[in-house]
Amino acid sequence: MTTHAAAPEAAAAPGRAGRPGRPLERARRALARGLAARARAGSLPTPRVAVIGAVNAMGERQHDQGGSREADGGPGPHEALVHLAPDAVLIGPWQDTAGGATACGACLAIRWQRLRTRSERDALETGLVTVPVGDWPPLPDHTVDAVWALYLRATTGGPAQDAGTRHVTPAHGAAAPRAGRSTAPTPAADPVLPRVTRLDLRTLLVRTVPLLPEPLCPHCAPAVAADTAGDAVPSPLVSRPKPDPGGYRLRRPGDHPLPTEALANPVCGVLGAATWRDVTSPTTAPVAGTVFMRGYAGLTDVTWSGQANSFARSRDLAFLEGMERYAGTHRRDRASMTVDSLANLGDAALDPRTCGLYAPETYAADPMVAPFDPERPIPWVTGYSLRDERPVLVPARLVYYSAGTAADNFVFECSNGCAIGSCTEEAVLHGLLELIERDAFLLGWYGDLPLTEIDLDSCASPAVRAMIARAALQGYDVHVFDNRVDLAVPVVTGLAVRRDDGPGALAFAAGAAFDPEVAVESAVAEILTYIPHLPRQVAERPDELAAMARDYHLVRRLPDHAALFGLPQMKRYAGSYLRPPALRPLGAVYAGWQQRRPGTGDLLDDVRLLRDDLVGAGCDVIVVDQTTPEQRCAGLVTVCTLAPGLLPIDFGWARQRALHLPRLRTAARRAGLRATDLTDAELRRVPHPFP
Ligand SMILES: [Zn+2]
């Protein structure tokens, strides 16, 4: 068994963009001289000045060399409190109070770099050669005065006080505590964090923001030695008393002590530069943020959002979704991973073939993927089997869905089964509900199963009534269906049908929850987020979508699936939804479930019910802890749940694992809906419309 260090988010060849970085280096020296003169005049220590933005702060070689050091010997960001970027001077991290989480300039450099534009990031991270010209940035005396004043303010509390009385936190190597694990912030999470003050070089605008320590920082979070390698082994689940038996979250979304300013700010925000509200949305109150994350196909614009019925709730949900994606896209840990072949690991590891593979033709035709080879070493992370109650190794490829190596490109995974919560049990419950929801949707779609429509007039929730009315104002009728197949927990599929047959014909969504009303509400709420945009998304690319309708292999990306069903002519494939076999009240549909649903007031009983149902369906139930240090400080846990054998959601017609898993053909028989397995001829071989 061998180990290797976790790949950072950008492991591209570093630094080529920075090699000709003369103008920034000249400006850095000028700034350092100017600050040194002011320090001498006040008999104060001379500040060190580092450059950020000339070399890749996230590259492996930078880590080995100890920071983004300029070739001619300027300090690395971790050794300085003054940082010169092309458009600003950043001062910090500094802090008012001792004892909070500690961060260093390299943490700042990494977080700052993630928020740069696509072209800036590609230049820094992929080795594109850029040639700086001219002298930049200009640093007139009054700018150096401003930097000096801000530096004094940060280090001494103000120009009039003595230097050294303020707690300053350049972390120096091993003496620094591990990022974010030293002291949990109090509920007021932002104020105790280190600060960074940004001076804009064009406008002299000053802004101070909090900085969260970066878990991949080579100075704050030293790599774990190989002999102690590996992820923390998840422990068995424990009892979690619920605030009320009908609640499935132990805390409300707004009750988590999130450092929202540190999560979204334009200098070093963890999740993005800002959040924005869409005040023009006619159906929901959306709040969203966005950040570039480096995935298989370069930088991807990852959006995180909340789409509730109030902006305040949407904002809370958006931050939680952003945190979940931050944990799931890349491993935020410098500890080593196991690298070995399945053949060597044997029973200690999950065979990824049980989670589904693509058709042989896909591996032959698609240069991005290669068949799984049990003899080939691939990276693994440690999970925990809730069925067997033991640790199990899981291919990292199936857990961190934007990271991978050339050796393990046998499949593309998505966020399916990842969930965040206030404890492991809560996160597991919601991760499993998501797996069950997508599995049920795909069974219903590809299996062309008849689904009972639920009479929306029988739903008591005023929120559902209001949402249906808002959809009607947009010209849509909403329908919901009982999408359970062989598992007991309520899964509801929602469908909005455009009344006038214009572009944006059909919009699908689904929800799974222990409370059937909540399942209906979440399916309808999700539909509402799509219908304001769907007609435009179809009208923008009519020829492309018409071509997809003729040749499904042109359905390649996530948005293609839902957009395709915006074409009115695709309605002919949705007959099982447009002409359901029955219409029944909600209470009657889920009467049996309400008898079976645990009412014990312990979240663990709810998790056990899902686990037992999944094990009964022939699946293992595996949990991998993805929690990042930032989340741990806020009392949050993120997990990736896996139930090998369930149909996984995939996007792109050639990459549908669901079509090749046995369960697609057996689940309806297992549910008692029919006496035999589905034959190939009975399948609906049309790309799914899941959004
Ligand atoms: Zn650091």
Side-chain angles (χ1 to χ4, degrees), residues 177 226 301 405 414 432 455 462 528 533 682:
D301 198 352
T405 67
C414 61
L432 293 178
D455 184 357
L528 285 203
H533 314 290
E682 289 172 293

Side-chain angles (χ1 to χ4, degrees), residues 428-606:
V428 168
L429 186 85
H430 289 89
L432 293 178
L433 284 171
E434 186 172 89
L435 291 178
I436 291 169
E437 172 202 303
R438 276 94 194 263
D439 167 76
F441 186 90
L442 293 171
L443 287 172
W445 180 262
Y446 286 132
D448 200 8
L449 302 180
L451 304 178
T452 298
E453 181 168 359
I454 297 164
D455 184 357
L456 278 168
D457 284 339
S458 67
C459 295
S461 157
V464 170
R465 316 288 320 155
M467 289 192 285
I468 294 166
R470 269 179 261 150
L473 284 171
Q474 298 298 304
Y476 282 86
D477 287 321
V478 173
H479 305 268
V480 294
F481 306 90
D482 173 23
N483 203 148
R484 288 174 302 171
V485 181
D486 61 336
L487 301 171
V489 71
V491 179
V492 170
T493 284
L495 169 64
V497 183
R498 184 167 162 162
R499 288 179 185 146
D500 65 359
D501 242 7
L506 302 177
F508 288 85
F514 274 59
D515 182 338
E517 288 263 1
V518 172
V520 171
E521 202 173 312
S522 61
V524 175
E526 200 184 331
I527 285 179
L528 285 203
T529 68
Y530 302 124
I531 56 179
H533 314 290
L534 191 57
R536 178 180 48 79
Q537 286 163 351
V538 175
E540 276 173 357
R541 49 199 288 233
D543 297 341
E544 205 184 332
L545 293 172
M548 285 181 205
R550 290 189 299 271
D551 178 0
Y552 297 153
H553 282 91
L554 298 174
V555 175
R556 294 196 178 107
R557 300 179 308 125
L558 186 152
D560 296 343
H561 286 259
L564 181 59
F565 284 84
L567 290 180
Q569 72 252 39
M570 291 305 286
K571 285 169 78 172
R572 66 174 176 272
Y573 299 110
S576 61
Y577 301 87
L578 297 173
R579 291 176 295 281
L583 175 72
R584 297 173 68 202
L586 185 76
V589 170
Y590 292 108
W593 162 253
Q594 296 289 24
Q595 299 292 318
R596 187 158 175 245
R597 177 180 168 187
T600 59
D602 184 350
L603 204 58
L604 183 58
D605 291 328
D606 303 320

Side-chain angles (χ1 to χ4, degrees), residues 103-107 171 214 217 219-220:
C104 76
C107 296
E214 162 60 52
C217 174
H219 306 287
C220 294

